Amino acid sequence: MMPFASEFWSRGPNDGLFWDYCLARELRFQTCRSCGVARQPPHPICPVCASADHHWVPAPATSRLYSFTVVRTAAHPAFKDDLPYIVAIVEFPELPGIKMVTRLFDADAGSLRIGVPLTLVWEPVSADLVLPCFRPGGPATG
């Protein structure tokens, strides 16, 4: 389990279902039923058509690295033992516009390249919080 103080995280008014799905180890994105546009983070109103009608769709198996940075200074003592670590922006080509900020594990920053395929991994933090993180490499096939 990665160190993570509870004061860094709390459910917001719009993201409860996102975290419930994550706890069940399902990555899902809120999607407008009216125009079909997916959005992250969750929001009660579609930014495209202003509809309040939405549902949750499973994340596609295909994801790739959009951008990343190496964190070398801990913003809080709870993260000091993890230094250095990689924070990444992940994109999902099958869901245009969806990008997600997350941790990247099992990666060497010197050999990372934008566009590399990624695989979803789950990082348990507490009994009620599991974070969606990623590592380089595409999803298993066969």
Side-chain angles (χ1 to χ4, degrees):
M1 238 187 261
M2 72 190 259
F4 198 82
S6 60
E7 68 260 21
F8 294 127
W9 175 81
S10 64
R11 289 174 184 255
N14 303 311
D15 63 2
L17 278 175
F18 176 82
W19 295 114
D20 288 345
Y21 284 123
C22 287
L23 192 58
R25 289 173 166 74
E26 294 179 39
L27 183 57
R28 291 180 176 250
F29 296 112
Q30 194 180 63
T31 302
C32 180
R33 287 188 192 271
S34 296
C35 70
V37 171
R39 57 188 181 256
Q40 175 64 16
H43 195 271
I45 303 296
C46 177
V48 174
C49 73
S51 172
D53 190 16
H54 62 268
H55 65 290
W56 293 83
V57 299
T62 304
S63 59
R64 63 185 178 208
L65 186 62
Y66 180 81
S67 186
F68 71 96
T69 189
V70 179
V71 177
R72 299 182 191 286
T73 304
H76 187 279
F79 299 102
K80 182 180 176 190
D81 291 340
D82 282 356
L83 295 173
Y85 60 89
I86 298 172
V87 174
I89 299 176
V90 175
E91 66 180 348
F92 300 84
E94 295 170 39
L95 287 177
I98 292 291
K99 291 183 180 67
M100 183 176 169
V101 178
T102 185
R103 286 276 302 266
L104 193 62
F105 291 109
D106 303 325
D108 170 47
S111 62
L112 275 178
R113 298 293 176 256
I114 301 304
V116 69
L118 301 173
T119 297
L120 175 65
V121 294
W122 294 101
E123 185 65 22
V125 174
S126 67
D128 61 349
L129 179 61
V130 178
L131 296 177
C133 299
F134 289 81
R135 66 171 175 73
T141 59

